Each structure stands twice: as structure tokens, then as C-alpha cells.
């Protein structure tokens, strides 16, 4: 027997239940992982709330964790029992002591990276990888806007941009979070609770605006993001932390300068084992070299049994960087 988190109705954090289950043996193309650290991601709250509907209820939660392989399926060839691994994009169920994961979703974890570092960075780091390399290629010296720069994805993005020699303008909701983003590598920061985002971007760029905006906040920042873009700029909407953007009149893209708009997701960019291997190598190299630091504050590590408290804390926007569940 093992313990995991599941929910039988969508809603607030209180719908999550910590309960016992009997793990099934892995399928032929799967491995069974004993999770040592589990990543908490904002998309988990979308699944729990029903914003991203589950196929059926009761449903499990979580797609990212790191641990040790305890069993392998009959057709698995690249992974063996005892390997240290990390995964993202798995079938839901990572909020668990053990989880069966497709071989294609696993990456071998270098000894120099801890389970906690891996679970805190893998999905978020792969997200920054595709945003900065595939959705739009960020170049040295390029100036761009990145919302929620002190969040889990944001702090990795700040460090990644600094490593590239790019000029990330980061937004955050407090002076403390703005300082964290600046320390991580943001070129300039904007506290959107006391500064006007568009006015500050115009000031920072001398009226030139930016060529690309990365926005995971959604509803609250949608119009400001468009107004920060120069003619034919690219709006990258990749999250809904403040709620989804709805009822969009596409004519607004024409009115604001023939703008481009995309709504990307990781599973639209990294779909094969080869693509995963290439992306994870770049991420791991950044972490091992010290260019990206993903250590998690102790007050953002929660026992698996306290997933309700973890979700409440995340949704209160009281966290910075990554948070973890520890089995």
C-alpha cells in the first residue's frame, strides 16, 4: 500500500484527499518511481478547480517529481532499477509516494543535482527552455517583458536570461518579490501594485516598447501586455494565474500594431524522448554550472499529507520560486 492525493469533486483546495491505494505494476513501457520530491505547479490548481477539466472523477493530481526507479516494464530499455530520475508531463498522479511513468517522459538525473532541485526545476525549467528557444529565440542584448518574475518559472527565466546576456524586464507584486527577481538576474523590475506597467516599460525602453511579452498571469495583465509590445510584436500567453483571458476580439491585435499572439504549452514542443533529452541536458548543464539556482525555501516544502495547505499557500501568491511536496 502507498499514499497519494486524489479529488472526487472540483473546487478549492479542500477537495483534496490524502488516502491509501494499492500501486499497480508498471505497464510494459512504464517504470515505477518511488518519489522523493514532488513539484507543485500552478497548472495543478487549474486541474483541481475544474478550469482544466479531468476526464473522470475521482482524479489524481500532479505531473512532476523526482525519485528512484523501483520497477520497470518488460519493454523498457533505457532505464534500470535503482536509477535516479526526474519526470514531467506524466499522466496525473505524481502527488503520490509511488507513480508509474512512461519511459518516454523520464530523464536520468545527474548525481550533482538533488531530488529536490530536480522536482523544483524540471517542468518550470523545460517551460523556460521552450519559451526562450522555440516559441521565440531570445538573443543576447534583447529586451523583453516577463510577468510574475519571482514565481517558480519566473526566477528560472531571470537566471536564464542573465546567462544569455538578455535584458529581462520582470513584473512582481511586491518590493520583496521584485528584489528577488532582480537578484536572480532581471535587468529591470516593475512592482505592478504601485507602478503602471505600460508607463514603466515605455520609460525603461525610451518609448521603444518590447518585441515579446511572456505572460502567465492572464486576465489581469492581458491589455497591459499588448500595450507594451512594439509593432508586430509577439504576445506569448502561457498561463492563467489571475484567471483566463476570454472574449477576445482578434481585431485588437490589428489595432495595437499587427501583433502576433500564441498560446503555447510544453506538450506542443517536447513530444519525443530525443526532444526531452536535448532540453533536459541544457537545463541540467545550467544547474550544475551554477548559472541557475533552484534551491527551495524550507517554508515552501510541505509534507504530501498537507497538499491542501500547499495549494492554499500557492494560490495566495505568498510564495516565491518553487514549492515542493515531500512524501
Amino acid at each position: 500500500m502507498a499514499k497519494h492525493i486524489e479529488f472526487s469533486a472540483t473546487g478549492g483546495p479542500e477537495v483534496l484527499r490524502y488516502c491509501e491505494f494499492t500501486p499497480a505494476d508498471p505497464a510494459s513501457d512504464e517504470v515505477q518511481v518511488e518519489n522523493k520530491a514532488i513539484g507543485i505547479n500552478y497548472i495543478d490548481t487549474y486541474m483541481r478547480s475544474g478550469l482544466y477539466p479531468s476526464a473522470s472523477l475521482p482524479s489524481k493530481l500532479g505531473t512532476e517529481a523526482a525519485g528512484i526507479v523501483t520497477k520497470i516494464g518488460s519493454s523498457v530499455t533505457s532505464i534500470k532499477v535503482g536509477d535516479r530520475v526526474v519526470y514531467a508531463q506524466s499522466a496525473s498522479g505524481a502527488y503520490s509516494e509511488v507513480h508509474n511513468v512512461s519511459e518516454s517522459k523520464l530523464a536520468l538525473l545527474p548525481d550533482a543535482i538533488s531530488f529536490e532541485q530536480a522536482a523544483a526545476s524540471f517542468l518550470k525549467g523545460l517551460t523556460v527552455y521552450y519559451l526562450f528557444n522555440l516559441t521565440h529565440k531570445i538573443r543576447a542584448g534583447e529586451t523583453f517583458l516577463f510577468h510574475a518574475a519571482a514565481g517558480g518559472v519566473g526566477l528560472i527565466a531571470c537566471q536564464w536570461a542573465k546567462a544569455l546576456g538578455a535584458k529581462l524586464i520582470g513584473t512582481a507584486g511586491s518590493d520583496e518579490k521584485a528584489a528577488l527577481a532582480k537578484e536572480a538576474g532581471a535587468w529591470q523590475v516593475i512592482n505592478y501594485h504601485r507602478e503602471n506597467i505600460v508607463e514603466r516599460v515605455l520609460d525603461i525602453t525610451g518609448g521603444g516598447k518590447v518585441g515579446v511579452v511572456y505572460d502567465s498571469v492572464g486576465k489581469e495583465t492581458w491589455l497591459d501586455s499588448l500595450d507594451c509590445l512594439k509593432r508586430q510584436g509577439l504576445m506569448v500567453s502561457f498561463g492563467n494565474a489571475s484567471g483566463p483571458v476570454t472574449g477576445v476580439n482578434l481585431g485588437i491585435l490589428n489595432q495595437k500594431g499587427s501583433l502576433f499572439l500564441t498560446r503555447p504549452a510544453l506538450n506542443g514542443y517536447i513530444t519525443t524522448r530525443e526532444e526531452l533529452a536535448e532540453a533536459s541536458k541544457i537545463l541540467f548543464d545550467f544547474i550544475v554550472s551554477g548559472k541557475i539556482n533552484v534551491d527551495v525555501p524550507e517554508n515552501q516544502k510541505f509534507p504530501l499529507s498537507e497538499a491542501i495547505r500547499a495549494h492554499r499557500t500557492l494560490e495566495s501568491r505568498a510564495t516565491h520560486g518553487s514549492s515542493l511536496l515531500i512524501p
Side-chain angles (χ1 to χ4, degrees), residues 10-22:
T10 56
E14 66 280 356
V15 303
L16 300 178
R17 293 187 297 134
Y18 180 61
C19 52
E20 202 167 54
F21 77 109
T22 302

Side-chain angles (χ1 to χ4, degrees), residues 72-85:
I72 64 171
S74 58
S75 65
V76 171
T77 59
S78 63
I79 303 289
K80 64 183 185 299
V81 171
D83 279 345
R84 302 172 77 250
V85 295

Side-chain angles (χ1 to χ4, degrees), residues 113-134:
I113 300 176
S114 72
F115 293 122
E116 290 187 0
Q117 288 175 315
S121 67
F122 199 52
L123 182 58
K124 300 172 184 69
L126 294 180
T127 298
V128 177
Y129 166 81
Y130 86 74
L131 290 174
F132 285 8
N133 289 274
L134 305 176

